[in-house]
Amino acid sequence: MADSEMKVALSATRQGGDVVARYFRDGVEVRGKQTYNLVTDADLESEKVIVDAIKSAFPDHAVLGEEFSEADLSSEHLWIVDPLDGTNNFAHQIPHFAISVAYYRAGVPQCGVVWNPVQDVWFSAERGQGACHNGEAIRVNAAERLDQVLVGCGFFYDRGAMMEATLQAIGDLFRQHIHGIRRFGTASLDLCQVAMGRFGGFFEYELAPWDFAAGAMILTEAGGAITTCRGEALPLSKTGVLASNGTLHPSLQSIVSQYCLD
Ligand code: IPD
Ligand code: CA
Ligand code: CA
């Protein structure tokens, strides 16, 4: 692919991150989309500067963003943006959140960037070029058994059947003697933890494309696997997500798939 999409992805992510970091420093009013699903001016302004940066470089490209940018998912040139992933952490002054930007051509991921602007931690990948953490190449870990790894998870905002399903899967994972469960609260960065070998796997029973589009690209370029919780190819729509170092995928899938609600 041409350099330019990657350059624009990096620059747009930086511009969104600068907005988010400023609000994190100066404070911002938090509103509820639903009871636990929060939104702030940081989410909205970050999406605006990211979309403006992409559109000024590629006026014909479609942009799907979490807050207000709508796009036809079958567009030949499609950007997928989470302007602030981990809003709950952000709202509670926990400096673990990210800006996530991915570019897909004809449904195939071409490049992705995930950046935590307050810790200056960034992940990037280009199709066929591997994945990087702060510019250094990364790779999934080589664990072969669940009793050798940490597993990350996420809870959607649901407090009903999906929450119960997640708790059941976590119980089964502990019974397989995993080293521990981690719930860091930023799905894009969770996928990057698998990509760099800190987690052996990650699952969440419902994510949106903006949560996983860039992280999925980074993970696969780092040698990992990502599917629905039932092991199917990931659609570009709301879906359960199972990510792993590849080797652990069957054992994780056999647990996580049992409690899928879809
Ligand atoms: C959320 C985070 C969280 C995940 C939620 C997502 P948001 O994104 O990625 O880790 O568990 O399902 O919705 O709302 O902070 O952009
Ligand atoms: Ca998100
Ligand atoms: Ca978000």
Side-chain angles (χ1 to χ4, degrees):
M1 60 166 280
D3 251 348
S4 52
E5 281 91 353
M6 187 60 181
K7 278 192 188 147
V8 171
L10 285 166
S11 152
T13 306
R14 287 266 165 195
Q15 291 178 54
D18 287 345
V19 168
V20 169
R22 169 166 50 80
Y23 276 108
F24 188 70
R25 199 178 53 239
D26 296 348
V28 64
E29 183 199 342
V30 177
R31 299 181 290 276
K33 283 199 249 192
Q34 298 135 18
T35 313
Y36 312 102
N37 190 357
L38 310 176
V39 68
T40 70
D41 286 343
D43 301 67
L44 300 169
E45 196 176 318
S46 170
E47 184 160 320
K48 185 176 181 323
V49 298
I50 292 170
V51 173
D52 286 352
I54 295 169
K55 286 280 187 188
S56 70
F58 302 111
D60 302 338
H61 289 197
V63 185
L64 172 72
E66 176 173 8
E67 303 304 338
F68 54 79
S69 310
E70 294 180 8
D72 176 356
L73 291 176
S74 63
S75 302
E76 170 80 6
H77 299 282
L78 177 67
W79 293 76
I80 305 178
V81 173
D82 194 335
L84 170 45
D85 188 29
T87 300
N88 226 325
N89 283 345
F90 174 88
H92 292 281
Q93 283 291 304
I94 296 169
H96 185 82
F97 46 80
I99 286 71
S100 172
V101 174
Y103 166 63
Y104 280 56
R105 187 185 302 141
V108 180
Q110 302 296 320
C111 64
V113 179
V114 173
W115 183 41
N116 176 335
V118 289
Q119 297 187 328
D120 200 17
V121 168
W122 59 281
F123 296 87
S124 60
E126 278 185 76
R127 184 163 198 77
Q129 312 275 309
C132 292
H133 166 229
N134 291 353
E136 300 288 328
I138 51 171
R139 194 82 201 149
V140 292
N141 66 37
E144 295 179 348
R145 298 189 320 270
L146 290 179
D147 65 5
Q148 297 173 313
V149 297
L150 290 171
V151 176
C153 74
F155 290 83
F156 188 64
Y157 295 103
D158 166 84
R159 293 291 188 274
M162 207 180 297
M163 180 196 73
E164 298 296 343
T166 309
L167 293 173
Q168 284 187 291
I170 290 172
D172 283 9
L173 288 165
F174 275 123
R175 283 182 278 279
Q176 295 300 313
H177 310 292
I178 57 168
H179 285 183
I181 279 283
R182 295 292 180 270
R183 197 293 191 247
F184 289 170
T186 304
S188 57
L189 286 170
D190 289 329
L191 294 170
C192 295
Q193 306 307 304
V194 185
M196 71 186 303
R198 289 177 177 168
F199 291 171
F202 164 82
F203 76 99
E204 181 158 351
Y205 283 123
E206 184 171 315
L207 285 175
W210 44 80
D211 297 313
F212 62 76
M217 164 90 205
I218 291 162
L219 174 61
T220 49
E221 284 294 325
I226 183 161
T227 63
T228 69
C229 291
R230 294 189 193 281
E232 301 138 340
L234 267 193
L236 267 187
S237 57
K238 288 197 173 164
T239 179
V241 169
L242 174 63
S244 77
N245 67 358
T247 313
L248 293 175
H249 219 77
S251 18
L252 287 165
Q253 192 183 313
S254 70
I255 292 173
V256 169
S257 64
Q258 285 177 62
Y259 304 107
C260 281
L261 299 166
D262 48 15

